[in-house]
Each structure stands twice: as structure tokens, then as C-alpha cells.
Amino acid sequence: AKGGGRNRFSYFTPTLQVAALNRMRLTNDLRGALKGGQLALYFQPIVHLRTGRIHKAEALIRWNHPQRGMVSPLEFIPLAEASGLIIEIGSWVLRESVQWVRRWRSEHHPEFQVSVNQSPLEFQREDGSYQAWLGELQALDLPGQSVVVEITEGLLLDANSAVSNKLLQLRDAGIQVALDDFGTGYSSLSYLKKFDIDYLKIDRSFTRNLAPESSDMALSDAIIVMAHKLGLRVIAEGVETAEQRELLLAAGCDYGQGYLFARPMPADQFDALLKAQAHE
Ligand code: C2E
Ligand code: CA
Ligand code: CA
Ligand code: CA
């Protein structure tokens, strides 16, 4: 039966079969990756545009697969979500982020913040792990403001009570919330009024096409004005050129993140970068 099965594979759309098999293998490997120390947290600076100083960092997960090398989170986060592994991975990201932000606050910048991504699945879960994590923050004497949680628009659009409760819990703990990839999804603006959001992250598809008089410039201008009127700060993603930075600055954008400033880097490198900034 085994041999027949193998032959049958080539009968049907072989690329789909291979893709499915590949996903299964990768999911299996991911199970071991956490315990095997193959996951790493990288950090990318979020720069205050007016002063050029690094105020925050976004934590971005990396997987160094023993055979395949670096696997993109765009590839393995969906697998982690589908398999439920995202819960364990998410806890690891939170704990790791807290350790680093604690150090950076005490050594370099007392108001430094680390911004962490949350998958909808993770965010919607009601269990003790979040409470435990909030407890860890307190135990380390870290104020909630040390952390920003990045969520996506879709989560707010069909917000159930679990989502609303989680947002309230975060606010009570002083943790801030950023709306990631803003402008790419459903872009219903009513939820900005309804929920307590602190930052809008303008998606890099807007930043990429910024040019004077362009429609993406008009949109970004409008988003920034609106956000400020609602009391939100704005972070532009994917800033790659000095021209984009200047246009964003002129539009009143508060923060920028992108290859122009730095690519995501290992924590010890980021640590050195902050150290250098402190001596400027
Ligand atoms: P995201 O949250 O939108 O993160 C920003 C992505 O843009 C990152 O990709 C970053 O490396 C990339 N980027 C930053 N600056 C530039 C630039 O100037 N140009 C270009 N072309 N790209 C830039 P990355 O690290 O591959 O992460 C991809 C996605 O994976 C993230 O998108 C996020 O949705 C997810 N992700 C990453 N880490 C985590 C995590 O710890 N937990 C969860 N749930 N998701 C994560
Ligand atoms: Ca993000
Ligand atoms: Ca984003
Ligand atoms: Ca707030």
C-alpha cells in the first residue's frame, strides 16, 4: 500500500501535495524549535522622526532552522496559528521582550518601550497566561508602559467580548496598544473611537508610494491628522528613503520604522546600538 500511495501522489497536483507535506514537516520541526533554542527575537528601532532618536523597538521573531536556515515568520506564524503552537511561542516572545526592555530601561532610556505582535488567536484567548505575564511585569517592577501590544484591524472589526475584555485588562495594566498594518484591511474608522488605541502604524504599502502630490501622500496626511485629533500617535512602517522620512515629518508623523534607520537585528546588537546612542 505504501508504494501505491507514493505513485498516486504524482497523479494528483504534485505541487499541492508537496506544499502540504512541507507544511506538516515544518510544523513538526516548529514543535522542537522552541525547546531546541532555534527561535530568536530580533529588534528593529522605532525612531522619533523629529529628533532622530530611538524611543522604541518592535520585537520580531526569527527561526533559525537547522537545515533550512532562516525561515520567515510570514511562513511559520500561520503554521503556529493553525497548530496552536502560537500560544507557547507568544508566551516566549512576551517573556523575552520583558527581559530586554527591563535592561534597556535601566541602562539606556527610562521610557523605552518594546512593541510585541499578537496574533488574533493569541489575543482572543481567555486564559491565565496573560495574567501570569502581567504578574511577571509587576514582579520585575516594570510599569505597563514598558510594553506596546500590536494588534490588527480585523480583530477590532468583529470584536467579541474576549477582545474587549483583553483591551480593558491591558489598559488597566497601563500597557499601550498599537493598530498594526493600518489602512490595509477593512478600514472602518468607528472602532478608533470605540476602543482605547494609542498608536496607528501606517502600513508600508502607503510609505512605499509616498511622493509629493501622490494619492498615498494625501491618504497618509489625512490619517495622521485624524489620528492626532483622536489623541493617537502615528508610526510609519517601511521607511526606506530619506525622502519618505522628510515627507512623513512634514506631514506631522511622529515615528518611523524601516530599513533607512535599521533592519531588525539580534538583541545584543540592538543593545550596542542603544549604548552608542546614549553616548552621542
Ligand atoms: P509586521 O508586524 O508588519 O512587521 C513588520 C515587517 O516589516 C517585519 O517583517 C520587518 O522586518 C519588515 N520591515 C521593517 N522595515 C522594513 C522596510 O523598510 N522595508 C521592508 N520591505 N520591510 C521592512 P518580518 O520580521 O519578516 O515579520 C513579518 C510578520 O510576521 C510581521 O509583520 C508580523 O505580522 C509577524 N510576526 C513577526 N514576529 C512576530 C511575533 O513575535 N508574533 C506574532 N504573532 N507575529 C509576528
Ligand atoms: Ca507589527
Ligand atoms: Ca506592520
Ligand atoms: Ca490609551
Side-chain angles (χ1 to χ4, degrees):
K2 255 190 178 168
R6 195 196 276 156
N7 284 336
R8 289 234 310 270
F9 268 35
S10 56
Y11 253 56
F12 302 111
T13 49
T15 50
L16 277 182
Q17 301 275 15
V18 168
L21 221 92
N22 192 27
R23 274 200 302 277
M24 270 170 59
R25 284 215 189 94
L26 215 53
T27 303
N28 255 332
D29 292 352
L30 191 54
R31 249 178 263 283
L34 252 173
K35 292 177 190 73
Q38 295 163 19
L39 297 182
L41 210 52
Y42 275 34
F43 293 90
Q44 186 179 33
I46 298 175
V47 173
H48 185 241
L49 287 175
R50 204 160 38 72
T51 57
R53 297 187 72 80
I54 303 169
H55 283 194
K56 319 174 197 298
E58 179 173 2
L60 293 161
I61 198 167
R62 294 290 178 265
W63 178 14
N64 194 356
H65 188 285
Q67 280 89 41
R68 298 175 188 232
M70 284 293 181
V71 183
S72 164
L74 294 175
E75 192 175 352
F76 74 81
I77 291 289
L79 299 180
E81 288 174 336
S83 61
L85 282 170
I86 191 68
I87 302 300
E88 230 178 304
I89 291 176
S91 308
W92 177 79
V93 167
L94 289 177
R95 284 198 312 271
E96 194 80 356
S97 298
V98 161
Q99 295 304 326
W100 285 106
V101 74
R102 178 191 192 201
R103 170 149 167 192
W104 294 331
R105 283 197 155 223
S106 74
E107 290 181 7
H108 307 304
H109 188 326
E111 279 161 33
F112 199 81
Q113 292 179 308
V114 167
S115 205
V116 293
N117 291 285
Q118 292 264 294
S119 293
L121 213 113
E122 225 183 317
F123 195 80
Q124 281 170 297
R125 231 171 98 108
E126 285 191 87
D127 67 0
S129 65
Y130 228 64
Q131 287 299 341
W133 175 67
L134 292 177
E136 274 175 54
L137 274 177
Q138 272 180 347
L140 291 171
D141 240 344
L142 272 171
Q145 288 90 318
S146 316
V147 181
V148 178
V149 167
E150 300 196 4
I151 58 174
T152 45
E153 291 173 89
L155 201 59
L156 299 186
L157 200 71
D158 46 33
N160 49 27
S161 61
V163 170
S164 313
N165 285 342
K166 193 64 87 61
L167 284 166
L168 287 175
Q169 272 179 40
L170 290 180
R171 192 178 56 183
D172 284 346
I175 291 173
Q176 296 189 315
V177 177
L179 207 47
D180 207 353
D181 307 335
F182 187 76
T184 52
Y186 317 86
S187 297
S188 151
L189 299 177
S190 56
Y191 54 62
L192 290 181
K193 213 174 49 179
K194 194 159 148 212
F195 299 103
D196 190 16
I197 307 292
D198 300 281
Y199 300 96
L200 281 193
K201 297 193 79 170
I202 297 183
D203 191 70
R204 78 164 177 272
S205 56
F206 289 99
T207 311
R208 191 190 302 134
N209 301 318
L210 283 186
E213 319 280 320
S214 66
S215 57
D216 280 311
M217 190 70 238
L219 274 173
S220 302
D221 270 333
I223 291 173
I224 293 164
V225 168
M226 175 200 66
H228 284 167
K229 287 208 166 133
L230 292 170
L232 285 81
R233 304 281 130 220
V234 182
I235 302 169
E237 299 189 300
V239 182
E240 293 185 356
T241 69
E243 193 197 13
Q244 289 164 353
R245 179 188 55 201
E246 293 317 311
L247 290 169
L248 288 162
L249 193 54
C253 184
D254 305 281
Y255 298 95
Q257 178 181 354
Y259 297 167
L260 174 68
F261 307 109
R263 289 182 179 251
M265 63 188 88
D268 53 344
Q269 263 180 48
F270 191 84
D271 189 58
L273 186 66
L274 281 185
K275 204 167 279 165
Q277 173 175 275
H279 293 297
E280 266 170 21

Short mmCIF file of all heavy atoms in Angstrom, two decimals, residues 45-83:
data_model
loop_
_atom_site.label_atom_id
_atom_site.label_comp_id
_atom_site.label_asym_id
_atom_site.label_seq_id
_atom_site.Cartn_x
_atom_site.Cartn_y
_atom_site.Cartn_z
N PRO A 45 14.55 49.24 15.45
CA PRO A 45 14.31 50.54 16.08
C PRO A 45 13.05 51.23 15.55
O PRO A 45 12.74 51.15 14.36
CB PRO A 45 15.54 51.38 15.71
CG PRO A 45 16.49 50.49 15.02
CD PRO A 45 15.82 49.19 14.73
N ILE A 46 12.36 51.91 16.44
CA ILE A 46 11.29 52.83 16.08
C ILE A 46 11.79 54.21 16.48
O ILE A 46 12.10 54.46 17.65
CB ILE A 46 9.97 52.47 16.80
CG1 ILE A 46 9.52 51.06 16.35
CG2 ILE A 46 8.89 53.50 16.52
CD1 ILE A 46 8.28 50.53 17.08
N VAL A 47 11.92 55.06 15.47
CA VAL A 47 12.66 56.32 15.64
C VAL A 47 11.71 57.50 15.73
O VAL A 47 10.77 57.61 14.94
CB VAL A 47 13.62 56.50 14.43
CG1 VAL A 47 14.29 57.86 14.47
CG2 VAL A 47 14.67 55.39 14.41
N HIS A 48 11.95 58.35 16.70
CA HIS A 48 11.21 59.60 16.82
C HIS A 48 11.69 60.51 15.70
O HIS A 48 12.87 60.89 15.65
CB HIS A 48 11.49 60.23 18.19
CG HIS A 48 10.69 61.45 18.46
ND1 HIS A 48 11.26 62.69 18.69
CD2 HIS A 48 9.35 61.64 18.51
CE1 HIS A 48 10.31 63.58 18.89
NE2 HIS A 48 9.14 62.98 18.79
N LEU A 49 10.80 60.83 14.75
CA LEU A 49 11.24 61.45 13.50
C LEU A 49 11.88 62.83 13.70
O LEU A 49 12.85 63.18 13.04
CB LEU A 49 10.08 61.56 12.51
CG LEU A 49 9.65 60.23 11.87
CD1 LEU A 49 8.41 60.42 11.00
CD2 LEU A 49 10.79 59.63 11.04
N ARG A 50 11.33 63.61 14.61
CA ARG A 50 11.82 64.99 14.76
C ARG A 50 13.24 65.01 15.32
O ARG A 50 14.08 65.80 14.87
CB ARG A 50 10.86 65.79 15.64
CG ARG A 50 10.91 67.28 15.42
CD ARG A 50 9.66 67.99 15.92
NE ARG A 50 9.12 67.45 17.15
CZ ARG A 50 9.68 67.60 18.35
NH1 ARG A 50 10.79 68.28 18.49
NH2 ARG A 50 9.11 67.07 19.42
N THR A 51 13.52 64.13 16.29
CA THR A 51 14.84 64.15 16.92
C THR A 51 15.78 63.08 16.37
O THR A 51 16.99 63.12 16.62
CB THR A 51 14.70 63.90 18.45
OG1 THR A 51 14.04 62.64 18.62
CG2 THR A 51 13.91 65.00 19.12
N GLY A 52 15.24 62.11 15.66
CA GLY A 52 16.06 61.02 15.14
C GLY A 52 16.48 60.02 16.19
O GLY A 52 17.34 59.17 15.94
N ARG A 53 15.90 60.09 17.37
CA ARG A 53 16.31 59.18 18.43
C ARG A 53 15.42 57.94 18.52
O ARG A 53 14.23 57.99 18.20
CB ARG A 53 16.35 59.90 19.78
CG ARG A 53 17.40 61.03 19.77
CD ARG A 53 17.57 61.66 21.12
NE ARG A 53 18.27 60.81 22.09
CZ ARG A 53 19.57 60.63 22.14
NH1 ARG A 53 20.36 61.21 21.25
NH2 ARG A 53 20.10 59.88 23.08
N ILE A 54 16.04 56.85 18.97
CA ILE A 54 15.30 55.58 19.09
C ILE A 54 14.53 55.57 20.41
O ILE A 54 15.13 55.58 21.47
CB ILE A 54 16.27 54.38 19.06
CG1 ILE A 54 17.12 54.41 17.78
CG2 ILE A 54 15.50 53.07 19.16
CD1 ILE A 54 18.27 53.42 17.80
N HIS A 55 13.22 55.55 20.31
CA HIS A 55 12.37 55.55 21.52
C HIS A 55 11.82 54.18 21.85
O HIS A 55 11.45 53.91 22.99
CB HIS A 55 11.18 56.51 21.35
CG HIS A 55 11.55 57.95 21.51
ND1 HIS A 55 10.60 58.94 21.66
CD2 HIS A 55 12.75 58.57 21.52
CE1 HIS A 55 11.20 60.11 21.77
NE2 HIS A 55 12.50 59.92 21.69
N LYS A 56 11.71 53.35 20.81
CA LYS A 56 11.06 52.04 20.98
C LYS A 56 11.71 51.04 20.04
O LYS A 56 12.48 51.42 19.16
CB LYS A 56 9.57 52.12 20.62
CG LYS A 56 8.82 53.35 21.09
CD LYS A 56 7.41 53.38 20.54
CE LYS A 56 6.78 54.75 20.65
NZ LYS A 56 6.64 55.23 22.01
N ALA A 57 11.32 49.77 20.23
CA ALA A 57 11.74 48.74 19.29
C ALA A 57 10.59 47.77 19.09
O ALA A 57 9.84 47.50 20.03
CB ALA A 57 12.95 47.98 19.83
N GLU A 58 10.45 47.29 17.85
CA GLU A 58 9.49 46.22 17.62
C GLU A 58 10.21 44.89 17.71
O GLU A 58 11.26 44.70 17.10
CB GLU A 58 8.81 46.34 16.25
CG GLU A 58 7.83 45.19 16.01
CD GLU A 58 6.98 45.33 14.73
OE1 GLU A 58 7.17 46.30 13.98
OE2 GLU A 58 6.13 44.44 14.51
N ALA A 59 9.65 43.98 18.51
CA ALA A 59 10.20 42.63 18.63
C ALA A 59 9.69 41.78 17.47
O ALA A 59 8.49 41.71 17.23
CB ALA A 59 9.78 42.00 19.96
N LEU A 60 10.60 41.17 16.72
CA LEU A 60 10.23 40.35 15.55
C LEU A 60 10.90 38.99 15.67
O LEU A 60 12.13 38.90 15.82
CB LEU A 60 10.65 41.07 14.26
CG LEU A 60 9.88 42.37 13.98
CD1 LEU A 60 10.64 43.26 13.00
CD2 LEU A 60 8.47 42.07 13.47
N ILE A 61 10.10 37.96 15.59
CA ILE A 61 10.61 36.61 15.84
C ILE A 61 11.37 36.08 14.62
O ILE A 61 11.04 36.39 13.48
CB ILE A 61 9.46 35.67 16.26
CG1 ILE A 61 10.00 34.43 16.93
CG2 ILE A 61 8.56 35.36 15.08
CD1 ILE A 61 8.93 33.62 17.63
N ARG A 62 12.39 35.29 14.89
CA ARG A 62 13.18 34.63 13.84
C ARG A 62 13.32 33.16 14.18
O ARG A 62 13.44 32.81 15.35
CB ARG A 62 14.58 35.26 13.76
CG ARG A 62 14.56 36.71 13.29
CD ARG A 62 14.18 36.79 11.83
NE ARG A 62 14.09 38.16 11.33
CZ ARG A 62 12.97 38.87 11.26
NH1 ARG A 62 11.83 38.38 11.72
NH2 ARG A 62 12.97 40.08 10.75
N TRP A 63 13.33 32.33 13.15
CA TRP A 63 13.54 30.91 13.35
C TRP A 63 14.73 30.46 12.52
O TRP A 63 14.68 30.50 11.30
CB TRP A 63 12.29 30.12 12.96
CG TRP A 63 12.44 28.63 13.09
CD1 TRP A 63 13.41 27.93 13.73
CD2 TRP A 63 11.54 27.64 12.55
NE1 TRP A 63 13.18 26.58 13.63
CE2 TRP A 63 12.05 26.38 12.91
CE3 TRP A 63 10.36 27.72 11.79
CZ2 TRP A 63 11.41 25.19 12.54
CZ3 TRP A 63 9.73 26.54 11.43
CH2 TRP A 63 10.26 25.29 11.80
N ASN A 64 15.74 30.04 13.23
CA ASN A 64 16.93 29.52 12.56
C ASN A 64 16.82 27.99 12.49
O ASN A 64 17.19 27.29 13.42
CB ASN A 64 18.18 29.96 13.32
CG ASN A 64 19.44 29.76 12.51
OD1 ASN A 64 19.39 29.22 11.39
ND2 ASN A 64 20.56 30.17 13.07
N HIS A 65 16.30 27.53 11.37
CA HIS A 65 16.06 26.10 11.17
C HIS A 65 17.38 25.40 10.88
O HIS A 65 18.16 25.88 10.06
CB HIS A 65 15.08 25.93 10.02
CG HIS A 65 14.59 24.53 9.83
ND1 HIS A 65 15.36 23.54 9.28
CD2 HIS A 65 13.39 23.97 10.12
CE1 HIS A 65 14.65 22.42 9.25
NE2 HIS A 65 13.45 22.65 9.74
N PRO A 66 17.63 24.26 11.56
CA PRO A 66 18.94 23.62 11.42
C PRO A 66 19.29 23.24 9.97
O PRO A 66 20.46 23.26 9.60
CB PRO A 66 18.85 22.37 12.30
CG PRO A 66 17.41 22.24 12.68
CD PRO A 66 16.79 23.59 12.54
N GLN A 67 18.29 22.87 9.16
CA GLN A 67 18.59 22.52 7.76
C GLN A 67 18.29 23.66 6.78
O GLN A 67 18.99 23.87 5.82
CB GLN A 67 17.80 21.28 7.31
CG GLN A 67 18.40 19.98 7.77
CD GLN A 67 17.85 19.58 9.14
OE1 GLN A 67 16.67 19.72 9.39
NE2 GLN A 67 18.72 19.12 10.02
N ARG A 68 17.21 24.39 7.04
CA ARG A 68 16.76 25.36 6.04
C ARG A 68 17.32 26.75 6.25
O ARG A 68 17.10 27.65 5.45
CB ARG A 68 15.25 25.49 6.08
CG ARG A 68 14.53 24.22 5.75
CD ARG A 68 13.06 24.45 5.94
NE ARG A 68 12.34 23.21 5.83
CZ ARG A 68 11.30 23.02 5.04
NH1 ARG A 68 10.84 24.01 4.31
NH2 ARG A 68 10.70 21.86 4.99
N GLY A 69 17.96 26.97 7.39
CA GLY A 69 18.41 28.34 7.68
C GLY A 69 17.24 29.17 8.17
O GLY A 69 16.28 28.63 8.71
N MET A 70 17.32 30.46 7.94
CA MET A 70 16.29 31.36 8.46
C MET A 70 14.95 31.15 7.74
O MET A 70 14.88 31.26 6.53
CB MET A 70 16.72 32.82 8.28
CG MET A 70 17.77 33.25 9.28
SD MET A 70 17.07 33.28 10.97
CE MET A 70 18.54 33.85 11.85
N VAL A 71 13.92 30.84 8.51
CA VAL A 71 12.57 30.72 7.97
C VAL A 71 11.81 31.99 8.34
O VAL A 71 11.84 32.43 9.48
CB VAL A 71 11.85 29.48 8.55
CG1 VAL A 71 10.47 29.32 7.93
CG2 VAL A 71 12.68 28.23 8.34
N SER A 72 11.14 32.58 7.36
CA SER A 72 10.43 33.84 7.61
C SER A 72 9.20 33.63 8.50
O SER A 72 8.49 32.63 8.36
CB SER A 72 9.98 34.44 6.28
OG SER A 72 9.00 35.44 6.51
N PRO A 73 8.94 34.58 9.41
CA PRO A 73 7.71 34.48 10.22
C PRO A 73 6.47 34.49 9.34
O PRO A 73 5.44 33.93 9.72
CB PRO A 73 7.77 35.71 11.13
CG PRO A 73 8.81 36.60 10.58
CD PRO A 73 9.74 35.75 9.77
N LEU A 74 6.56 35.08 8.15
CA LEU A 74 5.41 35.06 7.25
C LEU A 74 5.06 33.62 6.88
O LEU A 74 3.93 33.29 6.57
CB LEU A 74 5.70 35.86 5.97
CG LEU A 74 5.87 37.36 6.19
CD1 LEU A 74 6.27 38.05 4.89
CD2 LEU A 74 4.58 37.96 6.75
N GLU A 75 6.07 32.74 6.93
CA GLU A 75 5.84 31.34 6.62
C GLU A 75 5.43 30.54 7.86
O GLU A 75 4.53 29.72 7.80
CB GLU A 75 7.10 30.73 5.98
CG GLU A 75 6.87 29.36 5.37
CD GLU A 75 8.10 28.82 4.65
OE1 GLU A 75 9.10 29.56 4.48
OE2 GLU A 75 8.08 27.65 4.26
N PHE A 76 6.10 30.78 9.00
CA PHE A 76 5.83 29.86 10.12
C PHE A 76 4.80 30.37 11.13
O PHE A 76 4.22 29.54 11.85
CB PHE A 76 7.14 29.43 10.81
CG PHE A 76 7.81 30.45 11.68
CD1 PHE A 76 7.39 30.68 12.97
CD2 PHE A 76 8.91 31.15 11.21
CE1 PHE A 76 8.04 31.59 13.78
CE2 PHE A 76 9.56 32.07 12.01
CZ PHE A 76 9.12 32.30 13.31
N ILE A 77 4.52 31.67 11.19
CA ILE A 77 3.47 32.14 12.11
C ILE A 77 2.11 31.54 11.73
O ILE A 77 1.38 31.06 12.62
CB ILE A 77 3.43 33.69 12.20
CG1 ILE A 77 4.67 34.24 12.91
CG2 ILE A 77 2.16 34.17 12.92
CD1 ILE A 77 4.76 33.98 14.40
N PRO A 78 1.75 31.51 10.44
CA PRO A 78 0.47 30.85 10.10
C PRO A 78 0.44 29.38 10.52
O PRO A 78 -0.61 28.89 10.95
CB PRO A 78 0.41 30.97 8.57
CG PRO A 78 1.24 32.17 8.25
CD PRO A 78 2.34 32.18 9.27
N LEU A 79 1.57 28.68 10.43
CA LEU A 79 1.62 27.28 10.88
C LEU A 79 1.46 27.20 12.39
O LEU A 79 0.79 26.31 12.92
CB LEU A 79 2.95 26.64 10.48
CG LEU A 79 3.25 26.56 8.98
CD1 LEU A 79 4.60 25.89 8.77
CD2 LEU A 79 2.16 25.80 8.26
N ALA A 80 2.07 28.15 13.08
CA ALA A 80 1.96 28.19 14.54
C ALA A 80 0.52 28.45 14.95
O ALA A 80 0.03 27.88 15.93
CB ALA A 80 2.88 29.27 15.10
N GLU A 81 -0.17 29.29 14.17
CA GLU A 81 -1.57 29.59 14.48
C GLU A 81 -2.43 28.36 14.25
O GLU A 81 -3.27 28.00 15.07
CB GLU A 81 -2.06 30.76 13.62
CG GLU A 81 -1.47 32.08 14.07
CD GLU A 81 -1.82 33.24 13.14
OE1 GLU A 81 -2.11 32.99 11.95
OE2 GLU A 81 -1.80 34.38 13.61
N ALA A 82 -2.22 27.71 13.11
CA ALA A 82 -3.05 26.56 12.75
C ALA A 82 -2.86 25.40 13.72
O ALA A 82 -3.78 24.63 13.98
CB ALA A 82 -2.74 26.11 11.33
N SER A 83 -1.67 25.28 14.29
CA SER A 83 -1.37 24.13 15.16
C SER A 83 -1.56 24.45 16.63
O SER A 83 -1.43 23.56 17.47
CB SER A 83 0.07 23.69 14.92
OG SER A 83 0.95 24.75 15.25
#
